[in-house]
């Protein structure tokens, strides 16, 4: 048992923390209010290696491990949850599967520029009427000579309006009792691949998402990611990692809300004393901090298992489930502690609350995480 | 980061698990029903080094550390919570004596507690009118020649009837000095003037006898003072920090048992043509139970790890204790629900787990006290 971080892990955490405080936090409110895409922040994140944290340096990444990635995700998300999810999608949902399942050519041609942050990636699994239940996927990939033709639509594609590459999943075999999927790498500008305008959302305003369309979109064989027919496996393995990223996003959001609540409670007075001296407030803070630590330990456990290369589906699901629901509770309490100011957009906690809410939904809803965990317990 | 136990920790864990499944678990229902812990069971724990897991080897302990200790308590508690609390308190008393016993007390009593055959350790801080608010303790100790004479009453003393050694807090300065006027004494069973009262009739943890103590001009030698005079509060707080890791581990063990039995039951019991484990309503309960248990376990391990490194762990221990105990109550409550009517009857263990879990949010500092400790750390 050892909960100590390595010097490298501490270094990337401190680097990310310092960078987030200096470059991201001062802009977070503006990004939220204007829904502006944070190009200049992403360029700096790329310089620091934050867009490919756990990808080896030879493939354009920072060459760190999953725990480092978890730490960096928390730091960035504590400053701005939108920047956090842009980072998470690029790292976990794009770079990770290309590194794990990609050919040498794909690693050089696609992974290198995305992991280094020159290009941006996104992930297309969900459809208007099919999300966690991938058996109902409509998007189709048809084999032709030398390639594939993809038809269908994907929605809630975070980074979609700006991404240079998408890893997209399509059904490529409907002959058996269960359909089989294939993962494809599709570059922006490929004829037949188009993007809608960005979605309007409750929170994470600066992280643009959209629906993307594939109309007779031709993709060469060289862009099949992994084996044809193995797409579901690619998607599930990817999400096991992605859920660690989202857990850490939730943890970052909650931490920001707790820090602000502690500061506010020491400053604001009622009945002649700072409200921090009232047990009602103290107990909220104590619960927030305890749940935050519990979530962080669950996320770190999943990340260490990923680093060891052992199966971590249930552990990632636990981390994601607990952290996301924790973040909603903690940010809710943060608003309560702030009273009327908590409800005002002049204070950041209402943003944290809105931002936290998505973490219970994307990359597998809480309900899906519970299914994954229960299946593992009942094995 | 390394979330697996080391070799030593794993060895202690396996030893405890083996004893728990082979010896303790088959007795658990009887222990609860008869409200009695067999002496040979306690001797068995001692024989395996489990009564002094984190006491140095030169004092008869296992010297395996706080993480190993917490892992062992989890295993024993997942078989029988009453046995686990006897183990937990005895370990806490042994550790306290080893740390503050200035040679003589430690070398005399630690091996006795560790070795079994003599009895348990008991921790006598709470009184009828004062518990967490130790500044309000009223038991007094006054010097009389080469002795101390203790007068007062203690309440909720776990393991009292089977105890060999009591650590007792008493006031050695006037009441207005609050916690700065407390000293700690080691009192042996049979000390003149010490009367062990009748066991309380409790909701759960029935195998562990909880008694009041009466000290009527109870005379102990000068050397029975543990640590420095008027510095007893520090000893109590240090002991409780460690004790909270033990109670967190106990709660986790109880919850694990409740989950394990729920998983078995959910796969055996059928409704609407399928095992109830196939209904999402049940699956999602099981998932939440498993997640809470893992989170509690990690909080507990983290606190124990800090303790092993000699670092401050007060806040971490409080977080582990409040989270694990409240998680255990929730998990055990869901276990009863999953078992339906069978969860409410004594033929199944689910109702015992719920009764046993309930005390963990109360003793060794209520949840409310843990939250005060945690908030204090945050607001510093």
């Amino acid at each position: 048992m050892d909960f100590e971080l390595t010097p490298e892990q501490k270094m990337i955490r401190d680097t990310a923390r310092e960078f987030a405080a200096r470059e991201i936090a001062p802009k977070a409110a503006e990004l939220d209010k204007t829904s502006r895409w944070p190009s200049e922040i992403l360029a700096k994140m790329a310089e620091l290696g934050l867009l490919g944290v756990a990808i080896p340096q030879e493939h354009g990444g920072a060459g760190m491990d999953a725990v480092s990635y978890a730490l960096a995700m928390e730091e960035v998300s504590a400053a701005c949850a939108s920047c956090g999810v842009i980072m998470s999608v690029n790292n976990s949902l794009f770079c990770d599967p290309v590194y794990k399942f990609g050919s040498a050519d794909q690693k050089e041609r696609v992974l290198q520029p995305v992991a280094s942050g020159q290009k941006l990636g996104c992930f297309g699994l969900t459809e208007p009427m099919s999300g966690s239940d991938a058996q109902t996927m409509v998007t189709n990939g048809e084999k032709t000579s030398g390639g594939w033709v993809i038809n269908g639509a994907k929605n809630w594609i975070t980074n979609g309006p700006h991404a240079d590459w998408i890893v997209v999943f399509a059904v490529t075999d409907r002959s058996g009792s269960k359909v089989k999927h294939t993962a494809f790498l599709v570059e922006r500008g490929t004829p037949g691949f188009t993007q809608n305008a960005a979605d309007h959302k409750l929170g994470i305003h600066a992280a643009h998402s959209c629906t993307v369309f594939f109309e007779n979109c031709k993709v060469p064989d060289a862009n099949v990611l992994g084996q044809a027919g193995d797409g579901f496996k690619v998607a599930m393995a990817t999400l096991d990692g992605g859920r660690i990223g989202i857990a850490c996003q939730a943890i970052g959001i909650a931490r920001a809300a707790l820090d602000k609540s502690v500061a506010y409670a020491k400053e604001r007075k009622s009945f002649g004393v700072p409200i921090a001296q009232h047990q009602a407030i103290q107990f909220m803070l104590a619960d927030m901090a305890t749940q935050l630590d519990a979530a962080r330990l669950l996320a770190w456990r999943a990340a260490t298992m990923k680093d060891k290369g052992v199966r971590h589906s249930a552990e990632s699901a636990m981390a994601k489930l607990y952290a996301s629901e924790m973040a909603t509770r903690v940010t809710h309490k943060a608003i309560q502690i702030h009273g009327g100011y908590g409800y005002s957009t002049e204070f950041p906690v209402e943003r944290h609350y809105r931002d936290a809410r998505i973490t219970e939904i994307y990359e597998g809803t809480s309900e899906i995480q519970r299914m994954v965990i229960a299946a593992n317990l009942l094995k | 980061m390394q979330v697996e136990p080391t070799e030593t920790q794993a060895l202690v864990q396996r030893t405890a698990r083996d004893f728990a499944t082979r010896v303790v678990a088959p007795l658990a229902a009887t222990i609860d029903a008869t409200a009695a812990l067999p002496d040979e069971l306690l001797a068995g724990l001692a024989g395996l080094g489990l009564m002094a897991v984190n006491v140095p080897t030169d004092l008869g302990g296992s010297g395996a550390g706080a993480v190993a200790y917490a892992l062992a308590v989890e295993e024993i508690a997942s078989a029988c919570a009453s046995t686990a609390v006897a183990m937990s308190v005895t370990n806490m008393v042994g550790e306290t004596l080893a740390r503050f016993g200035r040679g003589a007390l430690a070398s005399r009593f630690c091996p006795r507690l560790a070795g079994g055959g003599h009895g348990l350790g008991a921790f006598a801080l709470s009184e009828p009118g004062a518990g967490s608010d130790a500044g309000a303790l009223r038991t007094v100790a006054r010097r009389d020649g080469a002795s101390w004479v203790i007068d007062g009453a203690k309440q909720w003393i776990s393991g009292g009837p089977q105890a060999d050694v009591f650590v007792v807090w008493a006031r050695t300065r006037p009441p207005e000095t609050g916690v700065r006027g407390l000293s700690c004494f080691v009192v042996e069973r049979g000390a003149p003037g010490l009367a062990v009262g009748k066991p309380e009739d409790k909701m759960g943890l029935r195998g562990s006898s909880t008694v009041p103590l009466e000290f009527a001009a109870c005379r102990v030698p000068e050397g029975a003072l543990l640590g420095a005079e008027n510095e007893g509060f520090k000893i109590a707080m240090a002991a409780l920090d460690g004790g909270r890791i033990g109670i967190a581990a106990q709660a986790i063990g109880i919850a694990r048992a409740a989950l394990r039995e729920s998983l078995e039951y959910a796969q055996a019991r059928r409704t609407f043509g399928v095992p109830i484990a196939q209904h999402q309503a049940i699956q999602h309960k099981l998932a939440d139970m498993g997640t809470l248990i893992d989170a509690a376990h990690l909080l507990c391990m983290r606190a124990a790890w800090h303790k092993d490194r000699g670092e401050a762990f007060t806040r971490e221990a409080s977080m582990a204790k409040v989270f694990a105990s409240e998680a255990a109550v929730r998990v055990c409550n869901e276990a009863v629900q999953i078992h339906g009517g069978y969860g409410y009857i004594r033929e199944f263990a689910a109702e015992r787990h719920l009764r046993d879990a309930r005390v963990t949010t109360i003793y060794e500092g209520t949840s409310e006290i843990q939250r005060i400790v945690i908030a204090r750390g945050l607001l510093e």
Side-chain angles (χ1 to χ4, degrees), chain A residues 1-6 9 67 258 262 265-266 276-277 279 282-283 285-287 289-291 293-298 300-301 304-305 308 315 317-319 321-322 325 366-371 373-374 377-379, chain B residues 1-6 9 67 71 259 263 266-267 277-278 280 283-288 290-292 294-295 297-299 301-302 305 309 315-316 319-320 322-323 326 367-372 374-375 378-380:
Chain A
M1 214 60 73
D2 186 0
F3 293 88
E4 183 76 322
L5 301 172
T6 66
Q9 289 163 352
V67 171
L258 173 62
V262 167
K266 285 174 165 176
Q277 288 187 31
Q279 283 191 341
Q282 286 175 5
F283 281 26
L285 294 172
D287 284 338
T290 302
Q291 293 172 19
D293 278 14
R296 192 182 281 123
L297 289 167
L298 285 169
W300 288 3
R301 176 180 69 164
T304 58
M305 292 174 75
K308 281 192 174 172
E315 288 78 8
M318 283 185 177
L321 168 66
Y322 188 80
E325 297 194 345
S366 288
E367 292 65 37
I368 290 294
Q369 309 308 326
R370 289 189 171 92
M371 284 170 63
I373 297 162
L377 286 170
L378 290 163
K379 259 197 317 223
Chain B
M1 283 282 298
Q2 168 77 38
V3 292
E4 284 83 38
T6 63
Q9 291 160 357
V67 167
L71 290 169
L259 174 59
L263 287 166
Q267 289 172 95
Q278 288 187 28
Q280 284 191 339
Q283 285 174 5
H284 288 198
K285 284 185 201 294
L286 296 170
D288 284 338
T291 303
L292 286 172
D294 279 15
H297 171 76
L298 289 165
L299 285 168
M301 288 292 111
R302 179 183 65 162
W305 173 78
R309 300 203 339 158
R315 177 155 73 141
E316 287 78 6
M319 282 184 170
V322 68
F323 190 98
E326 296 192 350
S367 288
E368 290 67 31
I369 290 294
Q370 308 310 325
R371 289 189 170 93
I372 289 173
I374 297 162
L378 281 173
L379 293 165
E380 257 165 16

